[in-house]
Amino acid sequence: MSRELLLLVGFAVTNRAVCVQLVERGRPVVAADDAPDDHARRLAAELGVDLLERPSPEDWPSLVAGVQAVVPTPGLPESHPSLGAAAAAGTPVISEFDLAQRWDDRPTLAVTGTNGKTTVTLLAAAMLEASGIPVTVAGNTETPLVEAIRDSRPSAFVVEASSFRLAHSRCYRPTVGAWLNFAPDHLDVHASLDSYRAAKAALWSRVDEKTISVVNRDDPVVVEYAPDRGRVVTFGLDDGDFRASGGALWVGSEKLADVAELHRPHPHELANCLAAAAVAMAGGAHADGARAALLAWTGLPHRMVLVGERDGVRFFDDSKATTPHAVCAAVRSVGQSPGQAVLIAGGRNKGLDLRPLAEAADQLRSVVAIGEAAPEVQQVFAGLCPVVVVESMEEAVSAAAETSLEGDAVLLSPGCASFDWYGSYAERGDHFSRLVREMIGGSP
């Protein structure tokens, strides 16, 4: 193969955008996909690009030999034979972030972390826009960064930086890089927890004197990896350049907002607000813009959304919580006192150890276990609180309602992916919410 050729492994949203850009720039490219759909085939034909379907493990050494670089689709498991073949051949593996930075020199503000990435990315973008700085959100969203740079309007990009992209970035260096938190996740993609941690840490692996790193003072893993070069900005609930104190959010000695003014005052939401302000102001936002966005922010769907209340019991949709770390934070935020939460948890495990869920046990009245991981959930809470295993979301809502008492909170916070019963966490949350609303509407 030609030394100028780039090999795209996987031909879904991101690599399709990469392919379009490469073709427009006159670069030779070939794509390979283990299970291409009709859209992939049509696009490849329209672009005049060869699409190799379902290569066998034995095919990969010859495919990667001689190409300039391999561009894996985000989320390609580290065990995929293409990556092993590339390593054996000494062929570089790069990300869409690398390509975007080569093609566009506008600033990027990158946000990574196990939980809260989307919230912080969107809220930081709102703060920048409120400060008169046009930005576009890209990365681990509907718009890959290589697609976003086609737009001449933004003066900067706020990038949701997943471990999937960071792990394969060889030269990407964001202008601002924020690491929110770290907890086990995506072990169905990464070879180990160490590999996942290293992927996150790659965000700061190329900092220089011009970059700004945003560090969560409350997370020991993040603090351990904090850069010793460039400018470092910290945030934390009790301490940091951006902090919560005396019922308000502060940057230095300047108040950004009173907590009572915010729509989402849960502790982990406050941490997200502080992180977003740190990112946005590092990127040029002013305090007034940050405050305006904070006061307008009502949160995102399926993230601690109050669906309704019946007989003094509140029902929350937190379907986006797909790690034990996120579940424990959610349970702590809704429990008015110990033992006043009913947790609906389970789904398809992402290769994670679910035992940390037990940290929430003292806040729970009971647990309703759902999906493929129901036996694991049941085992985690055995002897700690009552657990009932159900076979559908209808049964889950009914069981949670029957178990709960006045003053309780029922929380769909699964700690697992949705792909056993649903096509996405949004579909799962929508079904739960619809069932709750039907139950409330049908009650006397």
Side-chain angles (χ1 to χ4, degrees):
M1 289 189 177
S2 167
R3 265 294 177 187
E4 297 299 315
L5 187 67
L6 289 180
L7 172 62
L8 310 183
V9 181
F11 203 54
V13 174
T14 296
N15 270 356
R16 290 172 191 173
V18 169
C19 190
V20 169
Q21 282 272 37
L22 289 169
V23 170
E24 289 182 356
R25 294 167 187 272
R27 293 291 305 277
V29 58
V30 63
D33 196 289
D34 292 334
D37 58 20
D38 289 340
H39 184 193
R41 295 186 183 97
R42 285 195 300 271
L43 179 61
E46 290 170 6
L47 295 174
V49 169
D50 288 337
L51 175 59
L52 310 177
E53 299 193 19
R54 299 177 176 84
S56 70
E58 293 75 23
D59 292 331
W60 287 108
S62 61
L63 289 175
V64 304
V67 302
Q68 186 180 59
V70 171
V71 186
T73 186
L76 188 74
E78 291 180 0
S79 59
H80 194 272
S82 63
L83 299 178
T91 302
V93 177
I94 64 175
S95 74
E96 67 135 338
F97 287 174
D98 294 324
L99 293 170
Q101 191 160 67
R102 292 176 191 173
W103 296 335
D104 195 288
D105 61 1
R106 283 172 287 182
T108 62
L109 289 65
V111 178
T112 198
T114 304
N115 298 305
K117 291 187 299 296
T118 305
T119 294
V120 172
T121 298
L122 293 176
L123 182 51
M127 293 174 174
L128 287 156
E129 291 279 0
S131 300
I133 301 172
V135 298
T136 290
V137 170
N140 191 41
T141 67
E142 295 180 356
T143 307
L145 186 55
V146 290
E147 175 68 24
I149 62 174
R150 297 165 68 89
D151 186 355
S152 62
R153 180 194 73 89
S155 58
F157 302 94
V158 187
V159 179
E160 183 175 332
S162 68
S163 61
F164 305 150
R165 286 167 164 85
L166 292 173
H168 300 300
S169 295
R170 293 173 61 89
C171 63
Y172 176 61
R173 180 171 57 235
T175 311
V176 178
W179 188 352
L180 306 180
N181 46 58
F182 180 80
D185 198 6
H186 299 305
L187 298 185
D188 52 346
V189 171
H190 294 285
S192 66
L193 186 61
D194 287 342
S195 177
Y196 175 54
R197 185 187 301 109
K200 291 296 189 186
L203 177 77
W204 290 335
S205 62
R206 289 169 287 274
V207 298
D208 61 20
E209 299 307 320
K210 297 179 180 179
T211 55
I212 303 173
S213 302
V214 177
V215 176
N216 180 1
R217 286 284 296 271
D218 295 335
D219 191 297
V221 173
V222 174
V223 171
E224 177 186 352
Y225 283 88
D228 56 8
R229 298 185 63 193
R231 179 184 164 200
V232 173
V233 176
T234 61
F235 71 93
L237 288 179
D238 298 315
D239 188 24
D241 301 311
F242 291 75
R243 70 191 189 283
S245 176
L249 304 184
W250 302 81
V251 49
S253 60
E254 184 173 6
K255 182 191 292 188
L256 290 175
D258 288 314
V259 172
E261 300 178 279
L262 304 178
H263 294 277
R264 306 289 286 272
H266 305 306
H268 65 284
E269 294 279 4
L270 298 182
N272 288 340
C273 290
L274 293 167
V279 170
M281 295 181 73
H286 50 64
D288 287 344
R291 172 178 167 78
L294 284 170
L295 297 186
W297 183 253
T298 57
L300 298 175
H302 311 298
R303 295 160 174 85
M304 292 301 299
V305 174
L306 178 61
V307 179
E309 183 172 338
R310 187 184 80 157
D311 299 332
V313 177
R314 297 165 296 147
F315 292 80
F316 290 89
D317 169 15
D318 191 41
S319 183
K320 181 63 170 65
T322 58
T323 67
H325 179 268
V327 174
C328 291
V331 171
R332 286 193 294 268
S333 71
V334 299
Q336 296 178 344
S337 61
Q340 283 197 295
V342 176
L343 174 66
I344 302 174
R348 175 166 293 172
N349 193 345
K350 298 186 288 182
L352 304 181
D353 180 0
L354 298 185
R355 287 177 295 180
L357 288 171
E359 296 174 11
D362 62 346
Q363 298 289 322
L364 299 175
R365 183 179 303 283
S366 64
V367 173
V368 179
I370 62 173
E372 292 177 1
E376 295 176 75
V377 173
Q378 185 178 36
Q379 185 175 6
V380 166
F381 290 104
L384 300 177
C385 63
V387 182
V388 57
V389 176
V390 298
E391 300 296 328
S392 68
M393 188 61 76
E394 287 84 355
E395 290 183 21
V397 171
S398 176
E402 290 175 5
T403 304
S404 58
L405 301 176
E406 183 177 357
D408 286 358
V410 170
L411 179 63
L412 171 66
S413 192
C416 294
S418 59
F419 303 122
D420 51 348
W421 288 358
Y422 301 97
S424 66
Y425 72 82
E427 183 182 332
R428 175 172 61 189
D430 287 341
H431 189 203
F432 168 80
S433 299
R434 183 168 65 253
L435 292 170
V436 169
R437 286 192 291 267
E438 290 173 355
M439 179 183 66
I440 292 173
S443 62

